[in-house]
Amino acid sequence: MKKILNKPADFVPEMLDGLCKAYPNQLTYAEDIHCIVRADSPVKNKVALATGGGSGHLPVFLGYVGKGMLDGCAVGDVFQSPSAEQMLSVTKRIHGGKGVVYIYGNYGGDVMNFDMAAEMADMEDIKVKTVLVKDDVASAPPAEAGRRRGVAGMVFAFKVAGAKADLGGSLDEVVAVTEKALANTRTMGVALSPCTVPMAGKPTFTIGEDEMEIGMGIHGEPGMKREKLQTADQIAERMTTAILDDLKPSAGDELAVMVNGLGATPPEELYVIYRKVNQILTDKKLRVHRAYVGEFATSMEMAGASLTFMKLDAELKTLVDYPANTPFFKQV
Amino acid sequence: MKKILNKPADFVPEMLDGLCKAYPNQLTYAEDIHCIVRADSPVKNKVALATGGGSGHLPVFLGYVGKGMLDGCAVGDVFQSPSAEQMLSVTKRIHGGKGVVYIYGNYGGDVMNFDMAAEMADMEDIKVKTVLVKDDVASAPPAEAGRRRGVAGMVFAFKVAGAKADLGGSLDEVVAVTEKALANTRTMGVALSPCTVPMAGKPTFTIGEDEMEIGMGIHGEPGMKREKLQTADQIAERMTTAILDDLKPSAGDELAVMVNGLGATPPEELYVIYRKVNQILTDKKLRVHRAYVGEFATSMEMAGASLTFMKLDAELKTLVDYPANTPFFKQV
């Protein structure tokens, strides 16, 4: 384990303390450092947006707390769900009088805890609605899309929901447009190397020096298959085809495209992937409205990349283009 | 070598093609794809800023081409200097009538080629001035500061120079404030693992599983010493102390602080470092005016981190806070 750490058990609270100290005008915490909220919470008369999940995925989840995106985030230990109490604490702190939307990835522990938090919030007269992110095409076939995992596509959900809430949308309107965004969003990834969870001290999985895993999840969950490492163009084509087969856009459609690095893969390699993705889309008469290339949803120091497409209509384009300013995501 | 690549020889041009396609409204190229410039070049009646250097350090160098920072960048192969002709091509394309400032790291090949480019530009009646970045305290003792390497501190130079130029500064004014910024800037880094240059196909150096290199350069150049891997707090303290001993700020001084990941180190670990740095500075009555934590100057997939301080006066604070919008660096 080659990490820059103190005691593994202190990793998450120390990381959060560093984060709040780095951006004192943007972030603070509610009750406990594991409940990160906007420093200006609650924003009155705005639908508040909360997410939550395990640590180890920065910028997901808490990196998107800020103006034009999320209001708060319940933070678990590395790859662990935060508790219902944490999510309730976030919810109470961010509620600005127009209700709260929970937007998070479809993982069992998170769903159980956040549903419980929503019930507890309801008892305190805070209306909560939930939108689950299930964008990973590799995790289940189309007929079983309801059990797909949430991965990098959740960033587009945060972006769209955050813009709609900032523009004054009602609770139902924010939920509706976020669900529309997610119905149009698909992701697929490949992993080249594992990561090490500090408390475990050993790699999450093993993989040969000449192998890659197609469709691996962001905690190292198995994907569709393991095979020989391919070229960047082949990997780009594999991911693009898998998504397009599932999303079925029409010629002339406009997309938001995200090429996301899982942690250790250099940005240079992500641009080599983007080049081929852009070429394939152009050949198919699909237009890139906006491209995002970088690290948006990671797995510690895992090597690999994911690709996300969101098919846009006029409303989604406006919301994607809307400004945002969080510690990890700025759009001007 | 576990990389997402096509032919290693195509790595840089394919990366650049992907980059220009990802941000068509922000970036384009002059003559050749290895000469990246702002899409709206030349910006009339503004001092133009150029940099250059090898690939493999994203966001350094070309990631800072954009509004409020640089106008153009000559791009070399991985860890290789670009040619004088490339820098001349960039210079001619970005010149807006008020002269051009070259800002880049103190490396032999770059200095030789860019000095030649400046001479060639002069023959075409374009006035060029040069500011060399020499911020790495680990690369030479204070008495020999003139031969220090340029590392992550160059990002602060780009920021300050870019703001001054955007505010209408003259060629001499931009040079003067950039030199002042660099006189107040120091960096120190640690490396935990090597990286692999695509054309070479093997790691740039070897290091034990329990070792770290104190003060290593961003191409794998040796640092001050190799020792046992320390805790995050010890590493933060080592870097902070080395910089403060050299920079010698006074109690009450304000700093811009950058904790920079070298590639494979997760952002979570960078925040654990920042926490300790912030604590030490607070104890010494030094104030953090603005903190930057993330990947700003990398070495492909090298694990490790660097720390940079820039001591600020009123003018530098204004320039640091000025907005910027490049593909890799946005400040609002």
Side-chain angles (χ1 to χ4, degrees), chain B residues 147-170:
Chain B
R147 62 177 183 84
R148 285 180 174 170
R149 302 180 289 234
V151 287
M154 77 176 68
V155 179
F156 285 152
F158 298 159
K159 180 75 196 67
V160 165
K164 186 72 184 178
D166 217 50
L167 287 164
S170 69

CSV table of all heavy atoms in Angstrom, one decimal, chain B residues 147-170:
chain,number,residue,atom,x,y,z
B,147,ARG,N,19.7,27.9,-10.7
B,147,ARG,CA,19.6,26.7,-11.5
B,147,ARG,C,18.5,25.8,-11.0
B,147,ARG,O,18.4,24.6,-11.4
B,147,ARG,CB,21.0,26.0,-11.5
B,147,ARG,CG,21.5,25.5,-10.2
B,147,ARG,CD,22.8,24.7,-10.3
B,147,ARG,NE,23.3,24.2,-9.1
B,147,ARG,CZ,22.9,23.0,-8.5
B,147,ARG,NH1,22.0,22.3,-9.2
B,147,ARG,NH2,23.4,22.6,-7.4
B,148,ARG,N,17.6,26.3,-10.2
B,148,ARG,CA,16.5,25.5,-9.8
B,148,ARG,C,15.5,25.2,-10.9
B,148,ARG,O,15.4,26.0,-11.8
B,148,ARG,CB,15.7,26.2,-8.7
B,148,ARG,CG,16.4,26.1,-7.3
B,148,ARG,CD,15.6,26.9,-6.2
B,148,ARG,NE,16.2,26.7,-4.9
B,148,ARG,CZ,15.9,27.3,-3.8
B,148,ARG,NH1,15.0,28.2,-3.8
B,148,ARG,NH2,16.5,27.0,-2.7
B,149,ARG,N,14.9,24.0,-10.8
B,149,ARG,CA,13.9,23.6,-11.9
B,149,ARG,C,12.6,24.4,-11.7
B,149,ARG,O,12.2,24.8,-10.6
B,149,ARG,CB,13.6,22.1,-11.7
B,149,ARG,CG,14.7,21.2,-11.8
B,149,ARG,CD,14.3,19.7,-11.6
B,149,ARG,NE,13.9,19.4,-10.3
B,149,ARG,CZ,14.3,18.4,-9.5
B,149,ARG,NH1,15.3,17.6,-10.0
B,149,ARG,NH2,13.9,18.2,-8.3
B,150,GLY,N,11.8,24.4,-12.8
B,150,GLY,CA,10.4,24.9,-12.7
B,150,GLY,C,9.5,23.8,-12.5
B,150,GLY,O,9.5,22.8,-13.3
B,151,VAL,N,8.6,23.9,-11.5
B,151,VAL,CA,7.6,22.8,-11.3
B,151,VAL,C,6.2,23.5,-11.1
B,151,VAL,O,5.9,24.5,-11.9
B,151,VAL,CB,8.0,21.8,-10.2
B,151,VAL,CG1,9.1,20.9,-10.7
B,151,VAL,CG2,8.4,22.6,-8.9
B,152,ALA,N,5.4,23.1,-10.2
B,152,ALA,CA,4.0,23.5,-10.1
B,152,ALA,C,3.8,25.0,-9.9
B,152,ALA,O,2.8,25.6,-10.2
B,152,ALA,CB,3.3,22.7,-9.0
B,153,GLY,N,4.8,25.7,-9.4
B,153,GLY,CA,4.8,27.1,-9.1
B,153,GLY,C,4.5,27.9,-10.4
B,153,GLY,O,4.0,29.0,-10.4
B,154,MET,N,4.8,27.3,-11.5
B,154,MET,CA,4.5,28.0,-12.8
B,154,MET,C,3.1,28.3,-13.0
B,154,MET,O,2.7,29.3,-13.7
B,154,MET,CB,5.1,27.2,-14.0
B,154,MET,CG,4.3,26.1,-14.5
B,154,MET,SD,5.1,25.4,-16.0
B,154,MET,CE,6.6,24.7,-15.3
B,155,VAL,N,2.2,27.5,-12.4
B,155,VAL,CA,0.7,27.8,-12.5
B,155,VAL,C,0.4,29.2,-11.9
B,155,VAL,O,-0.4,29.9,-12.4
B,155,VAL,CB,-0.1,26.7,-11.9
B,155,VAL,CG1,-1.6,27.0,-12.0
B,155,VAL,CG2,0.3,25.3,-12.5
B,156,PHE,N,1.0,29.5,-10.7
B,156,PHE,CA,0.8,30.8,-10.1
B,156,PHE,C,1.4,31.9,-11.1
B,156,PHE,O,0.8,33.0,-11.2
B,156,PHE,CB,1.5,30.9,-8.8
B,156,PHE,CG,0.7,30.1,-7.7
B,156,PHE,CD1,1.4,29.6,-6.6
B,156,PHE,CD2,-0.7,30.0,-7.7
B,156,PHE,CE1,0.7,29.0,-5.6
B,156,PHE,CE2,-1.4,29.3,-6.7
B,156,PHE,CZ,-0.7,28.8,-5.6
B,157,ALA,N,2.5,31.6,-11.7
B,157,ALA,CA,3.0,32.6,-12.7
B,157,ALA,C,2.1,32.8,-13.8
B,157,ALA,O,1.8,34.0,-14.2
B,157,ALA,CB,4.4,32.2,-13.2
B,158,PHE,N,1.5,31.8,-14.4
B,158,PHE,CA,0.5,31.9,-15.4
B,158,PHE,C,-0.7,32.7,-15.0
B,158,PHE,O,-1.2,33.5,-15.7
B,158,PHE,CB,0.0,30.5,-15.9
B,158,PHE,CG,1.0,29.6,-16.5
B,158,PHE,CD1,0.8,28.2,-16.5
B,158,PHE,CD2,2.2,30.0,-17.0
B,158,PHE,CE1,1.7,27.3,-17.0
B,158,PHE,CE2,3.2,29.2,-17.5
B,158,PHE,CZ,2.9,27.8,-17.5
B,159,LYS,N,-1.1,32.4,-13.7
B,159,LYS,CA,-2.3,33.1,-13.2
B,159,LYS,C,-2.1,34.6,-13.1
B,159,LYS,O,-3.0,35.4,-13.5
B,159,LYS,CB,-2.7,32.5,-11.8
B,159,LYS,CG,-3.9,33.0,-11.2
B,159,LYS,CD,-5.2,32.5,-11.8
B,159,LYS,CE,-6.4,33.4,-11.4
B,159,LYS,NZ,-6.4,34.7,-12.0
B,160,VAL,N,-1.0,34.9,-12.5
B,160,VAL,CA,-0.7,36.4,-12.2
B,160,VAL,C,-0.5,37.1,-13.5
B,160,VAL,O,-1.0,38.2,-13.8
B,160,VAL,CB,0.5,36.5,-11.3
B,160,VAL,CG1,1.1,37.9,-11.3
B,160,VAL,CG2,0.1,36.0,-9.9
B,161,ALA,N,0.3,36.5,-14.4
B,161,ALA,CA,0.6,37.2,-15.7
B,161,ALA,C,-0.6,37.3,-16.5
B,161,ALA,O,-0.9,38.4,-17.1
B,161,ALA,CB,1.7,36.4,-16.4
B,162,GLY,N,-1.4,36.2,-16.5
B,162,GLY,CA,-2.6,36.3,-17.3
B,162,GLY,C,-3.6,37.3,-16.9
B,162,GLY,O,-4.2,38.0,-17.7
B,163,ALA,N,-3.7,37.5,-15.6
B,163,ALA,CA,-4.6,38.5,-15.0
B,163,ALA,C,-4.1,39.9,-15.4
B,163,ALA,O,-4.9,40.8,-15.8
B,163,ALA,CB,-4.8,38.3,-13.5
B,164,LYS,N,-2.8,40.1,-15.2
B,164,LYS,CA,-2.2,41.4,-15.5
B,164,LYS,C,-2.4,41.8,-16.9
B,164,LYS,O,-2.7,42.9,-17.3
B,164,LYS,CB,-0.7,41.4,-15.1
B,164,LYS,CG,-0.1,42.8,-15.2
B,164,LYS,CD,-0.6,43.7,-14.1
B,164,LYS,CE,0.0,45.1,-14.2
B,164,LYS,NZ,-0.5,46.0,-13.1
B,165,ALA,N,-2.1,40.8,-17.8
B,165,ALA,CA,-2.3,41.1,-19.2
B,165,ALA,C,-3.7,41.4,-19.6
B,165,ALA,O,-4.0,42.3,-20.4
B,165,ALA,CB,-1.8,39.9,-20.1
B,166,ASP,N,-4.7,40.7,-19.0
B,166,ASP,CA,-6.1,40.9,-19.3
B,166,ASP,C,-6.6,42.2,-18.8
B,166,ASP,O,-7.5,42.8,-19.3
B,166,ASP,CB,-6.9,39.8,-18.6
B,166,ASP,CG,-8.1,39.3,-19.4
B,166,ASP,OD1,-7.9,39.0,-20.6
B,166,ASP,OD2,-9.2,39.3,-18.9
B,167,LEU,N,-5.9,42.7,-17.7
B,167,LEU,CA,-6.3,44.0,-17.2
B,167,LEU,C,-5.6,45.2,-17.9
B,167,LEU,O,-5.7,46.3,-17.5
B,167,LEU,CB,-5.8,44.1,-15.7
B,167,LEU,CG,-6.7,43.3,-14.7
B,167,LEU,CD1,-6.1,43.0,-13.4
B,167,LEU,CD2,-8.1,44.0,-14.5
B,168,GLY,N,-4.9,44.8,-19.0
B,168,GLY,CA,-4.3,45.9,-19.8
B,168,GLY,C,-2.9,46.2,-19.5
B,168,GLY,O,-2.4,47.2,-20.1
B,169,GLY,N,-2.2,45.5,-18.7
B,169,GLY,CA,-0.8,45.7,-18.4
B,169,GLY,C,0.1,45.8,-19.7
B,169,GLY,O,-0.2,45.1,-20.6
B,170,SER,N,1.2,46.6,-19.6
B,170,SER,CA,2.1,46.6,-20.7
B,170,SER,C,3.1,45.4,-20.6
B,170,SER,O,3.1,44.7,-19.6
B,170,SER,CB,2.9,47.9,-20.6
B,170,SER,OG,3.8,47.8,-19.5
